[in-house]
Amino acid sequence: MGKVAIAVRMDASFADLVATMRRFGVGAVTVIDADRRPVGVVSEDDMLLKEIDLGEHVFGGPRRRVEQRKAAGTNAGEIMTRPAITVTGGTPVRDAARLMHRNRVKQLPVIDAMSGRIVGTVHQGDLLRVFARPAAEIRAEIERVAGRMDLDLGDLGIAVSGGVVTIKGQVPRRSVVKPLLHAVRRVEGVVEVDADDLAFLVDDLLIAPPLL
């Protein structure tokens, strides 16, 4: 992680937010309370809502109301997205990368596990240095994992892009799916696994109802 904690107080003005982002060359900053605990994040997208005419739609739904609140805000506490997504110094790199991928963010505040106070910031670039393993190597190791589980590689389609593994095809039994995905996620360089199109031939986990 970076040793610099890129953060602002809840009362930081719009101008303060812009200045902080420019100073550190980031697209988002963490918002902290009086005890230096992260409570939210302000991103460039949040700030750009001021330039969009959102209108006064009473029946616009929760998302529209949140956007209107942000657009009308004048300080970090009013503009921020909450809650803040955080990690600790002991969070595995793979888990931090997955949080970024799932939440579509490029940085995460790092907090002290005991106090909850911000101690640094980890950026996507910091993690990508760890996940720089070539896709071909990752795919080859996943194939070896599948082979050790006696799975037919001819029934599987495995693709790797940016550390995200996509597995398609079918396995013989449903009970194989979870162990396979668990093993693949442990392969070095894997950020996330997409197995939405992975099927099974036999549902051996289905419990048949008792005979009457």
Side-chain angles (χ1 to χ4, degrees), residues 83-96:
I85 302 168
T86 64
V87 293
T88 68
T91 300
V93 172
R94 181 178 288 105
D95 292 346

mmCIF file with all atom_site columns, all heavy atoms in Angstrom, residues 83-96:
data_model
loop_
_atom_site.group_PDB
_atom_site.id
_atom_site.type_symbol
_atom_site.label_atom_id
_atom_site.label_alt_id
_atom_site.label_comp_id
_atom_site.label_asym_id
_atom_site.label_entity_id
_atom_site.label_seq_id
_atom_site.pdbx_PDB_ins_code
_atom_site.Cartn_x
_atom_site.Cartn_y
_atom_site.Cartn_z
_atom_site.occupancy
_atom_site.B_iso_or_equiv
_atom_site.pdbx_formal_charge
_atom_site.auth_seq_id
_atom_site.auth_comp_id
_atom_site.auth_asym_id
_atom_site.auth_atom_id
_atom_site.pdbx_PDB_model_num
ATOM 1  N N   . PRO A 1 83 ? -21.293 3.447   2.221  1.00 0.00 ? 83 PRO A N   1
ATOM 2  C CA  . PRO A 1 83 ? -20.123 3.560   3.102  1.00 0.00 ? 83 PRO A CA  1
ATOM 3  C C   . PRO A 1 83 ? -18.814 3.423   2.328  1.00 0.00 ? 83 PRO A C   1
ATOM 4  O O   . PRO A 1 83 ? -18.831 3.078   1.142  1.00 0.00 ? 83 PRO A O   1
ATOM 5  C CB  . PRO A 1 83 ? -20.307 2.367   4.056  1.00 0.00 ? 83 PRO A CB  1
ATOM 6  C CG  . PRO A 1 83 ? -20.971 1.336   3.198  1.00 0.00 ? 83 PRO A CG  1
ATOM 7  C CD  . PRO A 1 83 ? -21.910 2.109   2.304  1.00 0.00 ? 83 PRO A CD  1
ATOM 8  N N   . ALA A 1 84 ? -17.704 3.656   3.004  1.00 0.00 ? 84 ALA A N   1
ATOM 9  C CA  . ALA A 1 84 ? -16.393 3.483   2.378  1.00 0.00 ? 84 ALA A CA  1
ATOM 10 C C   . ALA A 1 84 ? -16.039 2.002   2.347  1.00 0.00 ? 84 ALA A C   1
ATOM 11 O O   . ALA A 1 84 ? -16.283 1.282   3.312  1.00 0.00 ? 84 ALA A O   1
ATOM 12 C CB  . ALA A 1 84 ? -15.337 4.262   3.160  1.00 0.00 ? 84 ALA A CB  1
ATOM 13 N N   . ILE A 1 85 ? -15.499 1.555   1.238  1.00 0.00 ? 85 ILE A N   1
ATOM 14 C CA  . ILE A 1 85 ? -15.018 0.173   1.106  1.00 0.00 ? 85 ILE A CA  1
ATOM 15 C C   . ILE A 1 85 ? -13.551 0.173   1.502  1.00 0.00 ? 85 ILE A C   1
ATOM 16 O O   . ILE A 1 85 ? -12.736 0.857   0.876  1.00 0.00 ? 85 ILE A O   1
ATOM 17 C CB  . ILE A 1 85 ? -15.192 -0.337  -0.329 1.00 0.00 ? 85 ILE A CB  1
ATOM 18 C CG1 . ILE A 1 85 ? -16.661 -0.254  -0.741 1.00 0.00 ? 85 ILE A CG1 1
ATOM 19 C CG2 . ILE A 1 85 ? -14.684 -1.766  -0.470 1.00 0.00 ? 85 ILE A CG2 1
ATOM 20 C CD1 . ILE A 1 85 ? -16.892 -0.469  -2.214 1.00 0.00 ? 85 ILE A CD1 1
ATOM 21 N N   . THR A 1 86 ? -13.199 -0.557  2.550  1.00 0.00 ? 86 THR A N   1
ATOM 22 C CA  . THR A 1 86 ? -11.844 -0.497  3.090  1.00 0.00 ? 86 THR A CA  1
ATOM 23 C C   . THR A 1 86 ? -11.170 -1.858  3.138  1.00 0.00 ? 86 THR A C   1
ATOM 24 O O   . THR A 1 86 ? -11.830 -2.897  3.040  1.00 0.00 ? 86 THR A O   1
ATOM 25 C CB  . THR A 1 86 ? -11.862 0.090   4.507  1.00 0.00 ? 86 THR A CB  1
ATOM 26 O OG1 . THR A 1 86 ? -12.607 -0.797  5.374  1.00 0.00 ? 86 THR A OG1 1
ATOM 27 C CG2 . THR A 1 86 ? -12.515 1.464   4.533  1.00 0.00 ? 86 THR A CG2 1
ATOM 28 N N   . VAL A 1 87 ? -9.846  -1.826  3.307  1.00 0.00 ? 87 VAL A N   1
ATOM 29 C CA  . VAL A 1 87 ? -9.053  -3.027  3.550  1.00 0.00 ? 87 VAL A CA  1
ATOM 30 C C   . VAL A 1 87 ? -8.103  -2.721  4.704  1.00 0.00 ? 87 VAL A C   1
ATOM 31 O O   . VAL A 1 87 ? -7.953  -1.562  5.109  1.00 0.00 ? 87 VAL A O   1
ATOM 32 C CB  . VAL A 1 87 ? -8.236  -3.450  2.304  1.00 0.00 ? 87 VAL A CB  1
ATOM 33 C CG1 . VAL A 1 87 ? -9.158  -3.919  1.189  1.00 0.00 ? 87 VAL A CG1 1
ATOM 34 C CG2 . VAL A 1 87 ? -7.349  -2.308  1.822  1.00 0.00 ? 87 VAL A CG2 1
ATOM 35 N N   . THR A 1 88 ? -7.474  -3.754  5.237  1.00 0.00 ? 88 THR A N   1
ATOM 36 C CA  . THR A 1 88 ? -6.452  -3.567  6.268  1.00 0.00 ? 88 THR A CA  1
ATOM 37 C C   . THR A 1 88 ? -5.102  -3.951  5.682  1.00 0.00 ? 88 THR A C   1
ATOM 38 O O   . THR A 1 88 ? -5.019  -4.508  4.580  1.00 0.00 ? 88 THR A O   1
ATOM 39 C CB  . THR A 1 88 ? -6.736  -4.445  7.501  1.00 0.00 ? 88 THR A CB  1
ATOM 40 O OG1 . THR A 1 88 ? -6.549  -5.829  7.144  1.00 0.00 ? 88 THR A OG1 1
ATOM 41 C CG2 . THR A 1 88 ? -8.157  -4.235  8.018  1.00 0.00 ? 88 THR A CG2 1
ATOM 42 N N   . GLY A 1 89 ? -4.050  -3.674  6.429  1.00 0.00 ? 89 GLY A N   1
ATOM 43 C CA  . GLY A 1 89 ? -2.716  -4.042  5.970  1.00 0.00 ? 89 GLY A CA  1
ATOM 44 C C   . GLY A 1 89 ? -2.560  -5.540  5.805  1.00 0.00 ? 89 GLY A C   1
ATOM 45 O O   . GLY A 1 89 ? -1.696  -6.004  5.059  1.00 0.00 ? 89 GLY A O   1
ATOM 46 N N   . GLY A 1 90 ? -3.395  -6.315  6.492  1.00 0.00 ? 90 GLY A N   1
ATOM 47 C CA  . GLY A 1 90 ? -3.308  -7.768  6.398  1.00 0.00 ? 90 GLY A CA  1
ATOM 48 C C   . GLY A 1 90 ? -4.214  -8.378  5.350  1.00 0.00 ? 90 GLY A C   1
ATOM 49 O O   . GLY A 1 90 ? -4.245  -9.608  5.186  1.00 0.00 ? 90 GLY A O   1
ATOM 50 N N   . THR A 1 91 ? -4.974  -7.564  4.622  1.00 0.00 ? 91 THR A N   1
ATOM 51 C CA  . THR A 1 91 ? -5.857  -8.092  3.582  1.00 0.00 ? 91 THR A CA  1
ATOM 52 C C   . THR A 1 91 ? -5.029  -8.679  2.438  1.00 0.00 ? 91 THR A C   1
ATOM 53 O O   . THR A 1 91 ? -4.138  -8.011  1.922  1.00 0.00 ? 91 THR A O   1
ATOM 54 C CB  . THR A 1 91 ? -6.760  -6.973  3.010  1.00 0.00 ? 91 THR A CB  1
ATOM 55 O OG1 . THR A 1 91 ? -7.557  -6.433  4.063  1.00 0.00 ? 91 THR A OG1 1
ATOM 56 C CG2 . THR A 1 91 ? -7.667  -7.513  1.910  1.00 0.00 ? 91 THR A CG2 1
ATOM 57 N N   . PRO A 1 92 ? -5.286  -9.929  2.039  1.00 0.00 ? 92 PRO A N   1
ATOM 58 C CA  . PRO A 1 92 ? -4.552  -10.506 0.910  1.00 0.00 ? 92 PRO A CA  1
ATOM 59 C C   . PRO A 1 92 ? -4.722  -9.662  -0.345 1.00 0.00 ? 92 PRO A C   1
ATOM 60 O O   . PRO A 1 92 ? -5.781  -9.075  -0.582 1.00 0.00 ? 92 PRO A O   1
ATOM 61 C CB  . PRO A 1 92 ? -5.202  -11.892 0.744  1.00 0.00 ? 92 PRO A CB  1
ATOM 62 C CG  . PRO A 1 92 ? -5.761  -12.210 2.089  1.00 0.00 ? 92 PRO A CG  1
ATOM 63 C CD  . PRO A 1 92 ? -6.234  -10.886 2.644  1.00 0.00 ? 92 PRO A CD  1
ATOM 64 N N   . VAL A 1 93 ? -3.663  -9.581  -1.131 1.00 0.00 ? 93 VAL A N   1
ATOM 65 C CA  . VAL A 1 93 ? -3.690  -8.784  -2.360 1.00 0.00 ? 93 VAL A CA  1
ATOM 66 C C   . VAL A 1 93 ? -4.829  -9.234  -3.260 1.00 0.00 ? 93 VAL A C   1
ATOM 67 O O   . VAL A 1 93 ? -5.529  -8.424  -3.869 1.00 0.00 ? 93 VAL A O   1
ATOM 68 C CB  . VAL A 1 93 ? -2.340  -8.901  -3.095 1.00 0.00 ? 93 VAL A CB  1
ATOM 69 C CG1 . VAL A 1 93 ? -2.413  -8.241  -4.466 1.00 0.00 ? 93 VAL A CG1 1
ATOM 70 C CG2 . VAL A 1 93 ? -1.241  -8.258  -2.269 1.00 0.00 ? 93 VAL A CG2 1
ATOM 71 N N   . ARG A 1 94 ? -5.043  -10.545 -3.330 1.00 0.00 ? 94 ARG A N   1
ATOM 72 C CA  . ARG A 1 94 ? -6.100  -11.077 -4.193 1.00 0.00 ? 94 ARG A CA  1
ATOM 73 C C   . ARG A 1 94 ? -7.473  -10.554 -3.759 1.00 0.00 ? 94 ARG A C   1
ATOM 74 O O   . ARG A 1 94 ? -8.311  -10.202 -4.587 1.00 0.00 ? 94 ARG A O   1
ATOM 75 C CB  . ARG A 1 94 ? -6.070  -12.601 -4.164 1.00 0.00 ? 94 ARG A CB  1
ATOM 76 C CG  . ARG A 1 94 ? -7.119  -13.269 -5.060 1.00 0.00 ? 94 ARG A CG  1
ATOM 77 C CD  . ARG A 1 94 ? -7.018  -14.782 -5.040 1.00 0.00 ? 94 ARG A CD  1
ATOM 78 N NE  . ARG A 1 94 ? -5.837  -15.247 -5.769 1.00 0.00 ? 94 ARG A NE  1
ATOM 79 C CZ  . ARG A 1 94 ? -4.730  -15.715 -5.182 1.00 0.00 ? 94 ARG A CZ  1
ATOM 80 N NH1 . ARG A 1 94 ? -4.659  -15.753 -3.856 1.00 0.00 ? 94 ARG A NH1 1
ATOM 81 N NH2 . ARG A 1 94 ? -3.722  -16.132 -5.897 1.00 0.00 ? 94 ARG A NH2 1
ATOM 82 N N   . ASP A 1 95 ? -7.713  -10.491 -2.451 1.00 0.00 ? 95 ASP A N   1
ATOM 83 C CA  . ASP A 1 95 ? -9.000  -10.015 -1.944 1.00 0.00 ? 95 ASP A CA  1
ATOM 84 C C   . ASP A 1 95 ? -9.187  -8.522  -2.242 1.00 0.00 ? 95 ASP A C   1
ATOM 85 O O   . ASP A 1 95 ? -10.292 -8.078  -2.586 1.00 0.00 ? 95 ASP A O   1
ATOM 86 C CB  . ASP A 1 95 ? -9.105  -10.264 -0.440 1.00 0.00 ? 95 ASP A CB  1
ATOM 87 C CG  . ASP A 1 95 ? -9.192  -11.746 -0.103 1.00 0.00 ? 95 ASP A CG  1
ATOM 88 O OD1 . ASP A 1 95 ? -9.434  -12.547 -1.028 1.00 0.00 ? 95 ASP A OD1 1
ATOM 89 O OD2 . ASP A 1 95 ? -9.013  -12.094 1.077  1.00 0.00 ? 95 ASP A OD2 1
ATOM 90 N N   . ALA A 1 96 ? -8.111  -7.753  -2.099 1.00 0.00 ? 96 ALA A N   1
ATOM 91 C CA  . ALA A 1 96 ? -8.199  -6.324  -2.404 1.00 0.00 ? 96 ALA A CA  1
ATOM 92 C C   . ALA A 1 96 ? -8.493  -6.108  -3.880 1.00 0.00 ? 96 ALA A C   1
ATOM 93 O O   . ALA A 1 96 ? -9.296  -5.247  -4.255 1.00 0.00 ? 96 ALA A O   1
ATOM 94 C CB  . ALA A 1 96 ? -6.895  -5.632  -2.013 1.00 0.00 ? 96 ALA A CB  1
#
